[in-house]
Amino acid sequence: MMKSLFTALFLLACLSAFTQNKQPDNLVQFSGVVYNLDSNSVVPYVTIINKTQRNDVKASNYQGYFSFVAHQGDTIIFSSVGYSKEALVIPSNIKDHSYTVMVRLKPEVVNLPVVRVYPWASLDQFNREFMTMKIADDDLEIAKKNTSKASLLAVSKTLPMDATEMNNINFQNNHVALTNKNINQRGANPLFNPFAWGALIQQITQGDKSRNGDQ
């Protein structure tokens, strides 16, 4: 009984010493930054999977940085949406228990098949829409509509007058003003007014009569 007890205690001591000596030598502080291979910009929130340690999942931060404890010889998988997966193996016999890497992920371009979207649910609906479709005017018909009398009149009401039009209008206004002045007797020259001559003669006659009466 005592012999078995001493044997068990000896085995436990050896196992504990073996574990204490092996575990620190095997652990590694694994750190690094994930970059885009084409643009050298950081790739944020990358999924990091330790395939050796039962698919232990980690992730990088918004700056692409990561740091966690791993083991020497572990296989690490880096994956992110829009990038190809990248795998690396942590080397063995690392003396300082620290391993830093710069991981570069290659952008993955996925060509999707062409999708044609039609606004008709069926061929019958397409036929109905096609038969009732209004054909657009050609260039000649559009030009005729734009140069019609109604279109030009509507445009002339909204567009301002140019210098030539303003000059013509001023000339017409001046001509009308001079014509009205010659026709209007009040504004005309009294020498060319027969009524003014009649009044003058009447005034002279009345003046002569008054002078004769005084004599």
Side-chain angles (χ1 to χ4, degrees):
M1 184 68 180
M2 290 295 294
K3 185 177 180 179
S4 300
L5 181 61
F6 280 118
T7 302
L9 291 175
F10 177 75
L11 292 175
L12 289 175
C14 292
L15 181 62
S16 176
F18 177 78
T19 304
Q20 291 177 358
N21 292 330
K22 182 178 179 181
Q23 187 173 5
D25 293 337
N26 191 30
L27 293 179
V28 175
Q29 185 66 35
F30 183 51
S31 305
V33 180
V34 185
Y35 285 92
N36 187 322
L37 180 62
D38 294 340
S39 63
N40 288 330
S41 59
V42 296
V43 181
Y45 308 114
V46 177
T47 302
I48 305 172
I49 302 175
N50 191 334
K51 298 291 292 185
T52 305
Q53 301 298 325
R54 299 179 181 179
N55 293 330
D56 185 23
V57 180
K58 306 292 183 180
S60 64
N61 62 5
Y62 70 98
Q63 294 179 335
Y65 175 78
F66 64 89
S67 181
F68 56 90
V69 177
H71 297 81
Q72 298 180 17
D74 287 352
T75 301
I76 310 298
I77 306 295
F78 297 86
S79 64
S80 181
V81 177
Y83 295 88
S84 300
K85 291 184 179 181
E86 187 71 21
L88 63 84
V89 179
I90 300 176
S92 302
N93 301 324
I94 299 176
K95 297 181 180 180
D96 56 357
H97 302 284
S98 178
Y99 184 63
T100 304
V101 294
M102 293 178 61
V103 182
R104 299 186 182 276
L105 298 182
K106 182 178 180 180
E108 185 177 15
V109 179
V110 178
N111 294 324
L112 298 177
V114 178
V115 178
R116 297 183 181 275
V117 180
Y118 297 99
W120 308 286
S122 63
L123 182 60
D124 294 336
Q125 185 178 0
F126 168 75
N127 292 332
R128 290 194 301 268
E129 294 293 335
F130 181 78
M131 296 302 294
T132 58
M133 181 175 58
K134 183 179 179 181
I135 306 299
D137 298 331
D138 55 7
D139 294 340
L140 180 59
E141 189 64 25
I142 294 175
K144 289 181 179 179
K145 290 182 179 180
N146 292 336
T147 56
S148 63
K149 184 177 181 180
S151 299
L152 295 178
L153 182 61
V155 172
S156 64
K157 293 181 179 180
T158 58
L159 293 178
M161 292 183 294
D162 58 6
T164 303
E165 292 176 339
M166 292 294 296
N167 187 26
N168 293 334
I169 292 176
N170 291 332
F171 177 79
Q172 292 177 1
N173 292 336
N174 293 332
H175 177 72
V176 172
L178 291 175
T179 303
N180 293 336
K181 184 177 180 180
N182 292 330
I183 295 175
N184 185 8
Q185 299 299 325
R186 294 181 180 179
N189 192 343
L191 296 177
F192 300 99
N193 190 350
F195 296 100
W197 278 102
L200 179 60
I201 294 173
Q202 185 177 4
Q203 291 177 0
I204 293 173
T205 303
Q206 291 179 354
D208 293 338
K209 290 180 178 180
S210 60
R211 284 196 297 271
N212 295 327
D214 294 337
Q215 291 178 359

